[in-house]
Amino acid sequence: MKNLNLKLAVLMAAFSVISCSNDAPIETIEEESNVVSLQRTPLTPTQINAKINETVSSRERFEWTNMDALTIWSATVHGDQILTIGYGNDDNDFNKETSNADGIKNRLLQRIGALEGNGQKKEKDFLIDEDDKLNIIDVKIEDLATVEELLAQKGIRYIEPTGYRYLDHEVTAKSGAGCGYESSTLNSADYTTVAPGAKVPWTFYKHNIPSAWNYSTGAGVGIGVIDTGLTPNNSLMNGSFNDGYSSGRYVQKYGTYVDSWWPWSSNTDGPNDGCGHGTSMTSVATAPRNNNGMPVGVAYNANLISYRGTKNVLLDGYHEQKGVANALKALGNRSDVKVISMSIGHIISVGRIKDAVRYANNRGKLIFAAGGTSTSFTNFVGVIFPAWMSETVAVTGVTDANYYEECDICHKGSKIDFTIVMQRDGNGNRTTPVLSYYNNQTDYVGGSSVATATTAGIAALVWSRHPSWSKTQVLNRLKQSADFYPNKNSQYGYGNIDALQAVQ
């Protein structure tokens, strides 16, 4: 993810445990009483982040539900008291359309009402939202006893303090989160000009994408990009989306992100990119091929459906997680969308997004997710969420070295499915040329983000070539066209895809 620097410090917190027996002296009992009282005081964000970092540094997946009640409640206290509950008869019972879990939901709401505020609160006082498609409710929780009770209840798939923002409390995290409006003059060695005057990024030739255009340009396939939105300031991704060799297609922009600290707010922030990252991703996947002397996208005749689902690339907050999940549901229900590209993620599992990914996956969408991008100090984190899910296709970036080598800031691991060449060996600034946020300007973009959007574009080429195919058939063709097939490398999946071979 572009310019994402998350240097994670693994902190260790020490906790003392005091036990007593029935015949313990009064002094000991009083001491234990004081410990219990202290445990009713929330952990600090530093202590909470230490637990997260300890799990992640050992390459384990961090799931809030695996934490104790005190940790979950503490994070809720530091996160606007928002607790998200995924309910159902089992882990696969997440879709309201096929579920009969209303009884579970009603029971949970009754228990929360009986516990919160000594039973004086009504449902309207603590129910923030109920998802329209998924078995999810968001509630405002104040009492530790409520969290303890919920962890013991049947019918709960997960509970998560979704208002807690991990990065706000991580002192070593740097600002940026993948955002930027920079423009860069392209080195003449980093592109080739083709008719009618478009620049083809050097990285495309590493995957035989220009040769694949003799067979397919993505026509008829909709690519849904869930990111930070799409700029209104570059005509090629707006009114001139159909121009030159790009024709007969459409671009649509939507917004599901709510830019508000207030959890009850439902006013979305609109479709326009307020970060710059989303524009880069939509550009590399679908930018038009014309005579403007600008970089062309992989699938320059595909349709583009852009969703501003998040403020930046880090899914670290209630409205961002909800915005991405709502975008996934919307794209999942569109028959014209075949491919979904998500160059965003988190080091923490997000139950709502997990449910929404499965919702879209069950509707035949091929979902690509970024394997992770950060500094070289945090590559130990491994593949991030949601790329680690089996329902997504995880992609990372590699250099153009003669051997496989991840890019300077790219993650790798056993969950990676494909790689894309996106960086000159030994030069982290020479990455993939894309359209800038502004008219008639260019930029470079790297990391697993651009690798993911590039792979989504290649998938659109294959699906356009074989419009009757299922997502499984398209994915299998991508695997068959990659370097390591039929084997899978332990760090780089099936490796680099040959787009020409994939469409032939």
Side-chain angles (χ1 to χ4, degrees):
M1 300 168 190
K2 185 180 177 184
N3 298 329
L4 172 57
N5 296 303
L6 304 181
K7 186 179 178 182
L8 304 179
V10 180
L11 307 175
M12 301 300 293
F15 298 93
S16 60
V17 179
I18 301 177
S19 62
C20 66
S21 61
N22 291 334
D23 58 351
I26 294 176
E27 293 82 359
T28 306
I29 294 174
E30 289 177 349
E31 186 177 357
E32 180 183 21
S33 177
N34 290 334
V35 172
V36 172
S37 177
L38 286 172
Q39 288 179 338
R40 300 288 163 169
T41 301
L43 302 177
T44 66
T46 297
Q47 291 172 318
I48 296 169
N49 276 20
K51 291 194 172 191
I52 296 172
N53 292 338
E54 183 178 6
T55 301
V56 171
S57 66
S58 61
R59 298 224 170 186
E60 295 180 24
R61 298 178 184 179
F62 184 86
E63 307 269 358
W64 281 110
T65 304
N66 294 334
M67 294 292 102
D68 58 275
L70 178 63
T71 302
I72 295 172
W73 173 70
S74 300
T76 303
V77 170
H78 295 296
D80 300 320
Q81 298 176 317
I82 305 171
L83 192 70
T84 294
I85 303 174
Y87 60 90
N89 293 292
D90 54 50
D91 186 56
N92 293 315
D93 187 21
F94 61 88
N95 186 353
K96 282 187 173 181
E97 297 172 2
T98 58
S99 177
N100 60 349
D102 274 353
I104 296 175
K105 177 194 70 177
N106 294 333
R107 170 171 54 81
L108 294 175
L109 290 174
Q110 289 174 0
R111 288 301 300 149
I112 294 170
L115 290 164
E116 283 290 296
N118 296 318
Q120 300 301 309
K121 291 189 176 182
K122 297 181 180 180
E123 187 175 297
K124 65 180 180 61
D125 297 322
F126 61 82
L127 180 60
I128 298 172
D129 186 56
E130 178 181 355
D131 197 276
D132 61 335
K133 304 284 186 188
L134 307 172
N135 286 339
I136 300 173
I137 53 174
D138 301 309
V139 292
K140 182 179 180 180
I141 296 297
E142 296 181 354
D143 299 332
L144 172 57
T146 305
V147 177
E148 292 172 333
E149 173 78 10
L150 289 173
L151 285 175
Q153 287 283 320
K154 294 182 178 179
I156 290 183
R157 296 181 293 116
Y158 56 83
I159 60 173
E160 298 176 351
T162 48
Y164 183 75
R165 300 184 69 88
Y166 163 83
L167 286 171
D168 285 356
H169 310 294
E170 191 62 30
V171 295
T172 55
K174 297 181 180 179
S175 61
C179 296
Y181 305 97
E182 303 91 352
S183 296
S184 302
T185 300
L186 302 182
N187 187 303
S188 60
D190 292 338
Y191 64 85
T192 300
T193 301
V194 298
K199 290 182 171 66
V200 180
W202 69 274
T203 56
F204 286 16
Y205 289 94
K206 297 295 181 179
H207 299 272
N208 278 332
I209 292 170
S211 296
W213 289 337
N214 293 321
Y215 298 87
S216 175
T217 57
V221 175
I223 301 177
V225 177
I226 304 175
D227 211 287
T228 63
L230 181 57
T231 178
N233 299 315
N234 194 314
S235 62
L236 295 184
M237 300 306 292
N238 291 274
S240 297
F241 193 63
N242 280 308
D243 188 41
Y245 286 10
S246 299
S247 61
R249 61 179 187 156
Y250 53 83
V251 55
Q252 297 177 352
K253 303 192 294 183
Y254 301 92
T256 51
Y257 170 63
V258 175
D259 190 7
S260 173
W261 61 270
W262 184 244
W264 273 272
S265 177
S266 59
N267 296 321
T268 61
D269 198 35
N272 293 333
D273 190 0
C275 168
H277 188 269
T279 295
S280 296
M281 298 307 106
T282 55
S283 167
V284 76
T286 64
R289 179 177 175 178
N290 57 16
N291 62 355
N292 286 33
M294 293 288 109
V296 61
V298 176
Y300 62 79
N301 265 319
N303 302 315
L304 171 63
I305 300 89
S306 168
Y307 267 88
R308 172 169 166 77
T310 178
K311 182 178 182 179
N312 53 50
V313 302
L314 305 169
L315 304 179
D316 194 34
Y318 174 68
H319 283 304
E320 291 189 301
Q321 295 170 6
K322 191 173 179 181
V324 169
N326 286 340
L328 278 162
K329 291 184 296 180
L331 290 171
N333 285 320
R334 292 187 60 144
S335 60
D336 59 336
V337 172
K338 300 289 189 182
V339 177
I340 297 176
S341 181
M342 300 174 62
S343 297
I344 51 182
H346 206 336
I347 65 170
I348 297 172
S349 177
V350 181
R352 166 180 267 112
I353 294 177
K354 177 181 175 182
D355 287 348
V357 164
R358 295 194 292 177
Y359 182 91
N361 176 72
N362 288 350
R363 280 156 178 74
K365 312 308 174 187
L366 189 51
I367 307 170
F368 295 91
T373 307
S374 61
T375 69
S376 59
F377 295 101
T378 58
N379 284 348
F380 69 88
V381 170
V383 177
I384 63 173
F385 174 88
W388 73 43
M389 293 181 62
S390 61
E391 292 86 356
T392 63
V393 181
V395 186
T396 198
V398 294
T399 74
D400 64 344
N402 293 328
Y403 51 90
Y404 270 78
E405 175 187 64
E406 72 271 24
C407 83
D408 290 348
I409 53 176
C410 294
H411 294 196
K412 61 183 179 180
S414 61
K415 292 298 181 180
I416 293 297
D417 293 295
F418 297 108
T419 56
I420 291 291
V421 175
M422 39 57 59
Q423 177 187 311
R424 297 285 192 190
D425 184 30
N427 192 333
N429 294 322
R430 299 278 293 280
T431 51
T432 301
V434 297
L435 296 178
S436 174
Y437 189 86
Y438 300 103
N439 260 338
N440 301 315
Q441 295 182 26
T442 57
D443 197 11
Y444 286 95
V445 64
S448 64
S449 287
V450 71
T452 300
T454 300
T455 310
I458 295 174
L461 298 182
V462 175
W463 223 325
S464 178
R465 176 74 164 157
H466 304 281
S468 64
W469 277 11
S470 67
K471 68 172 182 181
T472 301
Q473 289 175 297
V474 173
L475 181 57
N476 285 340
R477 176 56 65 89
L478 295 178
K479 292 177 181 179
Q480 293 162 4
S481 306
D483 278 355
F484 296 124
Y485 183 84
N487 301 309
K488 191 175 182 182
N489 184 276
S490 63
Q491 301 296 313
Y492 301 109
Y494 293 99
N496 294 333
I497 302 169
D498 185 325
L500 173 60
Q501 183 180 340
V503 299
Q504 283 180 323

